[in-house]
Amino acid sequence: QTRSDGGADPAIRATKETVLAYVLTGDGETDRVSRAALVGLGRVLRDRTSVEPADPQGVNPNTDELAFYPVIYWPVTAGQATPSREGVNRLQAYLRNGGMIIFDIRNQGAAMEDAGHLRRLVQGLNIPALQRMPDDHVLTRAYYLLPRFPGRFAANPVWVARADQAAKDGVSPVIIGSNDWAA
């Protein structure tokens, strides 16, 4: 199946390959940096694991099917439009069915203290109860045993679902940070 612009349908491609996704913000520079970061992450995954991800895909929760993407990176920007009711429903179904969204507030402040734009974007979305990521969280034992999750801002806390709200394998469906990971 092809789109009207002649390219392959992203959803069909994502069923045949592992594709990491990022939310399109409408800010060209932010979207470019997100894409470049996921391309770089894909290279590291290919070099260090058996995962061979395809090129990342920008997605719009209001119009795109999200179920095909194991992880969605969502850089939060001030000018982003709030998802429509249909977008919220798509995001909720994605989280309920095992998807993971990494929200990046991308500032030097502590994520939960300076999350006004994020609160606006996720209004209506059933986010699990959160806690600061404990030192022994499953994510600190994965991803090459990283004890912290640096980005452009390395000292900020990372927030994950409370243990009683996480999936059975201990993985949080939502990760929130303000480290500007893509940059």
Side-chain angles (χ1 to χ4, degrees), residues 18-22 38 41-42 45 53-58 69-72:
T18 299
V19 179
L20 304 175
Y22 59 98
L38 291 180
L41 177 60
L45 289 171
D55 284 341
Q57 178 68 46
Y69 308 103
V71 175
I72 297 174

Side-chain angles (χ1 to χ4, degrees), residues 119-150:
R119 282 189 198 95
R120 179 182 53 78
L121 290 173
V122 301
Q123 188 173 7
L125 192 58
N126 185 16
I127 300 287
L130 301 173
Q131 67 179 9
R132 272 182 92 147
M133 184 184 305
D135 292 338
D136 65 343
H137 191 272
V138 67
L139 289 174
T140 64
R141 296 188 306 267
Y143 304 109
Y144 318 109
L145 302 175
L146 291 175
R148 57 191 184 89
F149 299 88

Side-chain angles (χ1 to χ4, degrees), residues 44-111:
V44 171
L45 289 171
R46 276 191 289 286
D47 290 348
R48 296 187 181 185
T49 73
S50 61
V51 176
E52 295 189 17
D55 284 341
Q57 178 68 46
V59 296
N60 178 338
N62 294 330
T63 59
D64 295 327
E65 176 55 60
L66 306 175
F68 307 116
Y69 308 103
V71 175
I72 297 174
Y73 173 72
W74 190 328
V76 175
T77 64
Q80 256 176 320
T82 303
S84 65
R85 171 53 44 208
E86 187 173 339
V88 169
N89 290 341
R90 278 190 174 107
L91 289 162
Q92 197 63 56
Y94 175 77
L95 292 172
R96 187 177 47 251
N97 291 309
M100 177 189 286
I101 302 175
I102 301 171
F103 292 100
D104 191 349
I105 299 170
R106 307 174 322 116
N107 65 24
Q108 246 177 326

Side-chain angles (χ1 to χ4, degrees), residues 1 8 24 26 85 87 99-100 114-115 155:
Q1 183 173 10
L24 294 166
R85 171 53 44 208
M100 177 189 286
D114 190 17

Side-chain angles (χ1 to χ4, degrees), residues 17-34:
E17 302 173 285
T18 299
V19 179
L20 304 175
Y22 59 98
V23 170
L24 294 166
T25 65
D27 176 335
E29 180 62 13
T30 300
D31 295 346
R32 185 193 66 72
V33 168
S34 295

Side-chain angles (χ1 to χ4, degrees), residues 155-171:
N156 296 333
V158 175
W159 297 82
V160 295
R162 273 192 348 223
D164 62 334
Q165 302 280 306
K168 289 181 182 173
D169 58 4
V171 175

